[in-house]
Amino acid sequence: MKHNVIAVDLGASSGRIISSTLEDEKLELKEQFRFSNQPINITNSLYWDYLKIFQEIKYGLAIAQRDLEKIQSLSVDTWGVDYGFVGHDGNLLATPHSYRDTRVKKYEDDLHEISTPREMFNETGVQPSLINSNYQLFADMKLHPYLQDEISHIMFMPNLVEYFFSGKVSNEFTIASTSGLLDGKSRELSTETLDQLGLKKEWFGDISKGGKVLGNILPAIATEMHLDPDIQIINGIGHDTGAAVYSLPMKKDEAKNSAFISCGTWSIVGQQTDEPVITSDAYEAGLTNEGCIDGSNRLLKNITGLWIVQELQKEWSFKGEMVEFGEMVKEAEQANHIGSYINPNAACFSEPSDMEERIIEFLKQTNQTLPETRGELLLIVFESLALSYHQTIVELEKATNESIDTIYMFGGGTKNSLLVQLTANFCQTNVVIGPTEASVLGNVLSQYKTLGLIKNEDDRINILNNSFESKCVTPQNLNSINLDERTRDFENILHNYEVE
C-alpha cells in the first residue's frame, strides 16, 4: 500500500511543497510546487508575507492532490526563531517579523542589563544573538505594550502555518529550542527567562516532542481547494536542521563519534548529544544547543556558508559574466593555493553586494597575498569554509570529550565536490554525503513515525538505506602540504581580525 504525505518546506528565500510516497519500505520524493518567500521591507521593517505563504501552500496542495489522488497528512518545517502573535479572537495580531529585522538592536543594552549574554547561555544553553526569539520578543513588548492584554497564543513559524490549516494551537520542541526561551536542563519553558522578558507561560502552551496529530485540515480549506477532507495536519519536526539530522542513516550509538554539516547558504556544524552542553568551553567556542525529535540535543555552530559564493555569482552576473556554480568549482580546482584565508563569520561578509571587494579588503587588512584570478579567489573561500568546519569539529571534540571519526554532510553544498574533498582533507575524517533534500526527508520521516509506519530506529534506517545511496569521501594523502601550518595560519587570521 502506498502512503502519501506532504512536506511543506519553508526557507528564508523560497517555499516548497514536496510529496513523499512510501511503499515496501522505500520512499520517493517529488517536488509538486515551489514559490518565492522573500521578506518584505515596509517602512524599514522586515516582515514575512504570511498571507502569500498560506495561499501558495494551498495552491501547491491542490496540485499535489490531483497528482497523488490520496494524501494522508502534511507537516511544516521552517527556519528557526521567528513567530506570530494570535489574539483572543483567533486571528493574527501583527504580521510576523523576519529575524533580519533591525528593531531589536535598539533594546539590546536594556536586555543585557536584565540578563548578561553569559547568564542567558547558562540558563538556556543557547548562544545569545539578536535574531533569537527572546531578543525579538523583548523588543516587541517594549515597542507594543498593548500586546500584554491582546495575546492569546505565541506560535513559532511552522506551528503558526499548521494552525492556519488545522485551527489547533501548538508549539514543537525542535523549533522552540532555537528561541532562547527553554531551560537548558529541563528543556521546558524557562520561568525565569519568561519573567525577565515580561512573557506569560500560557501564551506558548505545551511544548510537544516526538510528533503529534493536530487534526484534519479545516473543512473550509478542503472545500475551497478541492482537497481530501481527511488530510491530517501533523506537528512533526518544525526546525529544518532538526529535520535534516533525522534524515541521517546514523544509529544512536554512532552519534557520539559523528558530526554533521548542513551545507547551504549557512553552514551548520554540529554533533548529537544526549544532553545540552552548557560549559565555558562551549560558550567561548560559540556553540549552541538545539533539540532533536526524540528530546536529545544538537550541539552546533552556525557559520556563514555558500552565501559568500552566491553573492559573488550575483555580482558577476550584474557585470555580464554568468558563472555557473559548476564552473566556479572547476576554476577553483585548477587554481593555485596562495596561502590566504578569510574569516567567513566576519561581519563584512554578512551583508549583500560588493562581495569580491569585501574579500579583497579583508585580505589587505590582514596583510595577505591577493588573488590574481577568479579561481584563486574562489579557492580562498572554499578553503576558508573547510578550515572553519575543521576548527568547529575540534571545538566540538573539546566540549564533549568525544573524538569524531565520521562527518555526515548534507544539503545543496554537497554538490560542490571540491568543498566536500577539502572538508575530508582538512578534518582528516571520512565524509559521508547525505541527501540533498535532508530537511524534507526528515519532515516526511517524522510524519511516517507519527502515523505509526515507522516503529523504531531500525525501520527508519532501513527505509533510508532502501531509498538513497550514500557516498563516502575519504581524506587524500596530504604529504604535499603542511596541514598543521595551514590550520595555524587560519586561526591566526581569526584571532587577529575581530568579528563584530
Side-chain angles (χ1 to χ4, degrees):
M1 179 180 175
K2 292 183 178 181
H3 300 277
N4 301 318
V5 303
I6 297 292
V8 178
D9 181 54
L10 297 179
S13 61
S14 66
R16 300 177 304 159
I17 311 301
I18 309 287
S19 63
S20 170
T21 299
L22 177 63
E23 185 176 22
D24 297 328
E25 293 193 326
K26 182 178 180 179
L27 62 79
E28 294 183 359
L29 302 177
K30 180 179 180 181
E31 182 174 305
Q32 298 285 351
F33 185 62
R34 178 187 290 263
F35 59 92
S36 172
N37 182 37
Q38 301 288 342
I40 308 299
N41 191 326
I42 303 175
T43 62
N44 294 320
S45 293
L46 279 179
Y47 300 95
W48 295 113
D49 190 349
Y50 71 95
L51 294 174
K52 176 181 185 292
I53 292 171
F54 178 53
Q55 194 63 27
E56 296 279 25
I57 294 172
K58 288 195 297 181
Y59 184 69
L61 287 175
I63 293 173
Q65 177 84 71
R66 290 195 295 271
D67 179 43
L68 301 171
E69 295 185 1
K70 178 68 176 178
I71 298 173
Q72 283 187 256
S73 64
L74 71 84
S75 188
V76 182
D77 69 84
T78 76
W79 64 94
V81 304
D82 289 340
Y83 52 83
F85 300 115
V86 175
H88 299 292
D89 62 356
N91 292 315
L92 274 189
L93 293 171
T95 303
H97 276 101
S98 163
Y99 61 88
R100 292 190 185 273
D101 183 72
T102 59
R103 75 194 186 287
V104 179
K105 184 66 178 175
K106 179 180 177 182
Y107 298 98
E108 178 183 14
D109 291 341
D110 291 345
L111 180 54
H112 289 170
E113 287 182 6
I114 298 172
S115 180
T116 66
R118 183 57 184 268
E119 288 170 341
M120 290 182 196
F121 180 78
N122 290 344
E123 173 65 18
T124 68
V126 174
Q127 281 287 336
S129 172
L130 293 185
I131 71 172
N132 289 353
S133 312
N134 55 342
Y135 280 81
Q136 292 195 59
L137 285 162
F138 182 76
D140 288 337
M141 295 301 115
K142 291 290 187 181
L143 282 166
H144 308 296
Y146 73 89
L147 288 171
Q148 287 283 345
D149 297 323
E150 300 298 328
I151 293 173
S152 175
H153 295 96
I154 298 175
M155 281 178 276
F156 299 105
M157 286 303 291
N159 309 121
L160 185 65
V161 176
E162 290 165 355
Y163 170 75
F164 295 157
F165 283 94
S166 69
K168 300 294 177 63
V169 172
S170 67
N171 271 315
E172 184 269 336
F173 174 58
T174 66
I175 197 73
S177 71
T178 70
S179 67
L181 299 176
L182 302 188
D183 182 289
K185 296 180 178 64
S186 71
R187 312 314 296 276
E188 301 293 337
L189 287 163
S190 167
T191 302
E192 178 180 335
T193 299
L194 295 179
D195 289 345
Q196 290 172 342
L197 300 175
L199 306 175
K200 299 176 183 177
K201 192 172 184 178
E202 57 265 28
W203 289 346
F204 298 90
D206 294 329
I207 307 297
S208 66
K209 297 176 183 176
K212 177 181 179 182
V213 176
L214 298 176
N216 288 356
I217 194 167
L218 290 172
I221 298 174
T223 300
E224 175 193 3
M225 305 306 296
H226 304 284
L227 299 172
D228 186 337
D230 295 326
I231 295 175
Q232 293 180 301
I233 311 302
I234 290 179
N235 184 357
I237 304 180
H239 189 220
D240 49 13
T241 307
V245 170
Y246 192 57
S247 77
L248 302 180
M250 177 175 61
K251 293 184 178 180
K252 193 172 182 63
D253 60 358
E254 299 173 319
K256 69 176 183 178
N257 299 117
S258 301
F260 61 84
I261 300 176
S262 173
C263 188
T265 301
W266 286 91
S267 291
I268 302 171
V269 184
Q271 183 180 7
Q272 281 187 263
T273 60
D274 291 334
E275 303 289 340
V277 179
I278 308 175
T279 62
S280 295
D281 285 341
Y283 178 74
E284 296 299 333
L287 298 172
T288 197
N289 294 276
E290 296 175 356
C292 297
I293 185 174
D294 62 356
S296 62
N297 188 63
R298 288 174 287 134
L299 181 67
L300 57 87
K301 179 190 281 188
N302 291 316
I303 299 170
T304 300
L306 293 175
W307 154 265
I308 296 171
V309 180
Q310 293 162 356
E311 284 297 300
L312 286 172
Q313 183 189 49
K314 184 169 67 175
E315 181 179 329
W316 292 333
S317 71
F318 290 157
K319 297 177 180 178
E321 298 179 87
M322 301 300 296
V323 188
E324 297 296 330
F325 287 115
E327 180 61 28
M328 290 185 186
V329 173
K330 288 181 181 178
E331 291 185 16
E333 287 175 331
Q334 295 167 2
N336 295 318
H337 167 74
I338 63 173
S340 296
Y341 308 101
I342 63 170
N343 179 353
N345 274 358
C348 58
F349 301 127
S350 66
E351 300 175 7
S353 76
D354 302 323
M355 190 59 71
E356 182 172 358
E357 181 180 328
R358 293 169 190 267
I359 293 172
I360 298 301
E361 183 60 28
F362 181 96
L363 297 175
K364 287 179 178 178
Q365 288 184 18
T366 50
N367 299 313
Q368 299 187 80
T369 303
L370 301 182
E372 296 182 356
T373 67
R374 186 166 61 199
E376 288 181 352
L377 178 78
L378 288 164
L379 184 58
I380 288 171
V381 175
F382 294 144
E383 288 191 334
S384 298
L385 285 173
L387 285 167
S388 294
Y389 301 160
H390 171 255
Q391 181 196 48
T392 305
I393 295 296
V394 172
E395 291 167 342
L396 288 167
E397 290 179 324
K398 182 179 179 182
T400 63
N401 292 315
E402 297 286 356
S403 61
I404 291 173
D405 55 31
T406 304
I407 296 173
Y408 288 86
M409 197 168 181
F410 52 84
T414 58
K415 296 177 182 178
N416 185 330
S417 58
L418 174 59
L419 180 57
V420 175
Q421 188 64 64
L422 287 170
T423 301
N425 291 350
F426 293 161
C427 296
Q428 283 295 284
T429 304
N430 289 339
V431 175
V432 179
I433 300 177
T436 302
E437 299 291 359
S439 294
V440 168
L441 188 53
N443 179 319
V444 301
L445 288 170
S446 74
Q447 293 185 65
Y448 292 130
K449 175 182 179 295
T450 305
L451 293 169
L453 300 172
I454 294 178
K455 293 182 170 52
N456 51 50
E457 279 297 280
D458 288 339
D459 285 352
R460 181 182 69 87
I461 291 175
N462 285 339
I463 290 171
L464 288 169
N465 290 335
N466 291 338
S467 306
F468 304 96
E469 291 185 6
S470 295
K471 178 183 177 183
C472 183
V473 177
T474 59
Q476 294 173 331
N477 189 324
L478 297 181
N479 290 334
S480 61
I481 69 170
N482 188 323
L483 181 57
D484 290 339
E485 182 179 317
R486 289 199 185 189
T487 301
R488 185 171 61 251
D489 290 346
F490 177 70
E491 289 179 349
N492 286 337
I493 296 301
L494 299 189
H495 293 148
N496 294 332
Y497 189 93
E498 182 180 357
V499 179
E500 298 177 3

